[in-house]
Amino acid sequence: MANTKSNRRTFAIISHPDAGKTTLTEKLLLQGGAIHLAGEVKARGQARRARSDWMKIEQQRGISVTSSVMTFEKKFPDLNGGETITFNLLDTPGHEDFSEDTYRTLTAVDSAIMVIDAAKGIEPQTRKLFEVCRLRSVPIITFVNKVDREGRSIFEVLDEVADALALDVSPQSAPLGMGGLFKGILDFSDDTVAVPEGDSKEYLGKREPLGELPDDLAEEIELARIGYPEFDLEAYRHGDLTPVFFGSALKNFGVEELITAIAEWAPPPRPQPAGEEQVSPDRDEVTGFIFKVQANMDPNHRDRIAFMRQVSGTFKRGMKLTPSGLGKPIAIHSPILFFAQDREIADTAEAGDIIGIPNHGTLRVGDTLSEKNDLRFTGLPNFAPEILRRVILKDPTKTKQLRKALDDLSEEGVIQVFYPEIGAQWIVGVVGQLQLDVLVSRLEAEYKVGAHLEASPFATARWLKGTEAALKNFEDFNRSNLARDRDGDLVFMAKSPWDVNYQVEKNPELTFSATKER
Ligand code: G4P
């Protein structure tokens, strides 16, 4: 069960590009007193981009390919007698063409906020990210943004969320009019209205009791209140129901309610599966898993930062943890906590926190870290690639550099790499086109390897498992369709989904897995 004592809330915001994630992030951080200047989040983003010219793709497309972590605190007078809650907000790349990085980031959160544009409703990226959350029963709070503009009716939005995502929706507030007619947000919990003030028509903290409403609006509000299920904490935490807040990130409406809802309702750190076992956040021993590895911004250094989601225990600086991939302990002397304003050296961290661990490539996505090296977290998959390409070197003498680069980048989780058993043409696999662009640009910038990608005969890949004899037998007959991944594990390269089905039926003694747990 959830550890109710913990004051950590580790969450992500999922949305389609342009729905307002950046604006909302900034307002949440402001609420928490973590940053003082509006616009800081974007400014930081640009500053970061300017520095990271190794990733030219970011600049060219004006997007953020890498995700980061923001930590902020806020006191809640009404919560357990004035508790301070520590929020860890994990940023997911907000590009339409999303990558495995995004999936993996969602494995490190306990809940999510889904931001929807009131005029556009559920968009493709929102839906994809939602599906990833659903796979892990990650509970979701919905924020319907931009009600200061003309949008769809609240019923249209609520019903669309309910229908498209097969979720119960429970509105917690409602806009009094939208666009030019917008008069504020009614909070259902106490019947107060957050009202716009000044020329900018922003919410500056003024709340008024609900007065007389025009008949049609009064009717609409009444319907929104009684026509939908009441909030039910258990149903929300199971991922069956989403509370819905209306607001405007730009004008600061609904943000206060949202952060309070996360503090009150969003689950504290959840137990994490390690095979049959569930590792509780209350366990004394420090444990965690790496969900992301980011190369250093400086192309002259091969340093990386591995992002560890702490699952249990109290981490102290200098502590020795053993990575499952390495087998021997490493001392973590300069861990990084990601505060919004600055990076700070972490002295201690709790379950639910994210720690950045500088390293030279020893830590890999999916690794477990623990004090005793006695468990391994499961459920952090490699996804079956949907796009497979051959890597063609411009200068054939650079084979060695290419191999090193592909190994490195697959360790980082940028791509997956497959070395065919026959032939020398290496194959990379990704789940989104963007990953390929990143690959080519980084090969050139960081490894000085010119390469281009060509179509491969394969459509997808499956990791093979079975007895040694069964694998050997399969290998003898299918060598031309077999490859080894970065870890040397056997992978069946399929020309079509039909090909997969055919082999699955023909080889009942083998398993063909679309994901690989590390
Ligand atoms: P994203 O990170 O999800 O991609 O969205 P972002 O916050 O960057 O917002 C996308 C655009 O929508 C921005 O306008 C932003 O100002 C606007 N926006 C966000 N929240 C609201 C809201 O509550 N109401 C209104 N009316 N607009 C909102 P932009 O013109 O593209 O960018 P900018 O020049 O304002 O930065």
Side-chain angles (χ1 to χ4, degrees):
M1 279 274 66
N3 166 18
T4 46
K5 288 197 305 287
S6 172
N7 68 349
R8 295 303 200 269
R9 302 290 182 273
T10 304
F11 69 104
I13 301 180
I14 60 173
S15 63
H16 193 84
D18 240 26
K21 190 180 70 175
T22 309
T23 313
L24 180 64
T25 300
E26 185 181 296
K27 294 296 158 69
L28 287 171
L29 295 180
L30 275 169
Q31 279 276 320
I35 59 170
H36 307 288
L37 283 174
E40 190 127 335
V41 171
K42 268 200 175 152
R44 277 173 50 81
Q46 272 151 10
R48 196 172 53 218
R49 253 168 246 147
R51 249 186 291 136
S52 62
D53 58 356
W54 52 272
M55 206 173 245
K56 293 203 178 67
I57 200 86
E58 278 199 349
Q59 294 172 320
Q60 282 162 7
R61 298 211 182 168
I63 49 158
S64 166
V65 182
T66 49
S67 44
S68 59
V69 182
M70 284 156 281
T71 300
F72 58 99
E73 291 185 336
K74 186 172 161 74
K75 252 189 185 340
F76 291 84
D78 298 333
L79 212 68
N80 296 339
E83 203 173 348
T84 300
I85 300 287
T86 300
F87 299 88
N88 295 311
L89 170 53
L90 275 54
D91 191 23
T92 52
H95 193 267
E96 273 179 62
D97 187 9
F98 74 150
S99 66
E100 289 163 65
D101 208 26
T102 311
Y103 283 116
R104 295 212 187 94
T105 295
L106 291 175
T107 63
V109 299
D110 300 306
S111 72
I113 296 176
M114 176 169 74
V115 181
I116 297 172
D117 183 322
K120 295 186 182 153
I122 303 277
E123 296 176 86
Q125 173 85 338
T126 332
R127 186 193 289 262
K128 271 197 193 176
L129 292 168
F130 170 81
E131 292 303 339
V132 178
C133 289
R134 168 167 286 171
L135 272 177
R136 300 185 57 246
S137 304
V138 170
I140 290 183
I141 297 179
T142 302
F143 186 72
V144 181
N145 192 26
K146 306 195 187 183
V147 299
D148 58 307
R149 292 213 298 223
E150 227 41 77
R152 301 184 187 178
S153 86
I154 56 176
F155 303 112
E156 216 178 304
V157 178
L158 289 168
D159 294 346
E160 187 184 348
V161 175
D163 293 345
L165 307 181
L167 265 184
D168 276 338
V169 294
S170 174
Q172 303 299 307
S173 66
L176 302 179
M178 284 198 201
L181 299 173
F182 178 65
K183 296 279 182 300
I185 301 275
L186 171 66
D187 186 339
F188 289 175
S189 72
D190 62 3
D191 263 356
T192 59
V193 181
V195 294
E197 286 186 276
D199 290 343
S200 64
K201 301 236 157 66
E202 269 178 77
Y203 172 61
L204 301 171
K206 187 168 169 195
R207 283 176 184 259
E208 291 174 348
L210 177 63
E212 271 298 298
L213 291 175
D215 285 351
D216 52 342
L217 193 54
E219 198 178 318
E220 189 179 295
I221 298 291
E222 194 50 29
L223 269 176
R225 267 187 208 257
I226 60 171
Y228 295 91
E230 269 187 41
F231 178 72
D232 175 334
L233 187 64
E234 207 165 311
Y236 156 68
R237 292 227 176 140
H238 267 143
D240 298 331
L241 172 146
T242 179
V244 181
F245 292 89
F246 288 82
S248 160
L250 190 66
K251 308 280 181 189
N252 210 23
F253 282 94
V255 180
E256 221 170 75
E257 294 89 325
L258 198 53
I259 199 164
T260 308
I262 297 200
E264 280 184 12
W265 300 336
R270 311 202 287 184
Q272 201 69 32
E276 300 289 295
E277 195 187 345
Q278 291 284 332
V279 178
S280 156
D282 294 332
R283 191 177 172 128
D284 288 336
E285 187 200 351
V286 172
T287 65
F289 60 87
I290 307 293
F291 64 95
K292 180 185 169 60
V293 173
Q294 189 174 316
N296 200 304
M297 301 301 181
D298 182 350
N300 297 319
H301 293 94
R302 282 273 171 268
D303 295 7
R304 290 124 194 275
I305 294 178
F307 293 70
M308 180 182 94
R309 151 81 200 225
Q310 197 173 330
V311 174
S312 66
T314 296
F315 173 86
K316 292 194 178 70
R317 183 136 70 99
M319 202 168 214
K320 283 199 170 121
L321 295 178
T322 303
S324 50
L326 201 62
K328 62 176 198 284
I330 53 170
I332 301 172
H333 290 299
S334 20
I336 298 164
L337 272 195
F338 300 87
F339 279 95
Q341 257 171 326
D342 232 326
R343 287 179 170 187
E344 284 184 21
I345 299 285
D347 279 329
T348 63
E350 302 291 330
D353 286 340
I354 310 297
I355 304 174
I357 307 173
N359 70 100
H360 298 292
T362 37
L363 296 177
R364 298 170 53 185
V365 169
D367 277 356
T368 295
L369 277 91
S370 59
E371 286 181 77
K372 297 185 191 144
N373 196 19
D374 57 350
L375 55 86
R376 206 169 256 239
F377 290 112
T378 42
L380 263 179
N382 259 355
F383 292 86
E386 291 169 17
I387 306 173
L388 291 156
R389 292 282 181 271
R390 277 193 178 127
V391 190
I392 311 292
L393 270 175
K394 287 187 186 147
D395 173 358
T397 65
K398 296 240 176 168
T399 317
K400 236 170 112 183
Q401 287 91 327
L402 179 66
R403 172 105 193 194
K404 165 90 172 78
L406 293 179
D407 281 351
D408 278 3
L409 293 170
S410 80
E411 244 169 53
E412 242 185 79
V414 174
I415 46 139
Q416 296 177 37
V417 61
F418 303 101
Y419 300 109
E421 298 230 310
I422 295 177
Q425 284 182 321
W426 297 334
I427 292 174
V428 293
V430 295
V431 297
Q433 177 68 33
L434 178 66
Q435 286 173 271
L436 293 177
D437 300 346
V438 170
L439 168 67
V440 171
S441 128
R442 290 189 60 182
L443 282 177
E444 181 97 47
E446 289 174 43
Y447 296 89
K448 311 285 177 258
V449 173
H452 65 270
L453 304 171
E454 266 182 11
S456 86
F458 305 114
T460 188
R462 292 289 183 274
W463 281 270
L464 290 173
K465 268 206 191 123
T467 60
E468 213 167 297
L471 284 171
K472 172 86 178 54
N473 187 41
F474 187 79
E475 212 175 339
D476 288 344
F477 285 97
N478 298 281
R479 205 168 287 274
S480 61
N481 288 327
L482 287 175
R484 300 272 170 181
D485 69 8
R486 165 76 179 77
D487 302 317
D489 288 332
L490 205 55
V491 185
F492 173 61
M493 310 295 286
K495 294 197 171 71
S496 66
W498 181 87
D499 208 11
V500 177
N501 291 339
Y502 175 77
Q503 294 293 358
V504 168
E505 272 175 33
K506 222 174 127 196
N507 298 281
E509 71 287 1
L510 292 175
T511 50
F512 292 74
S513 176
T515 59
K516 173 184 167 176
E517 294 209 343
R518 324 220 320 188

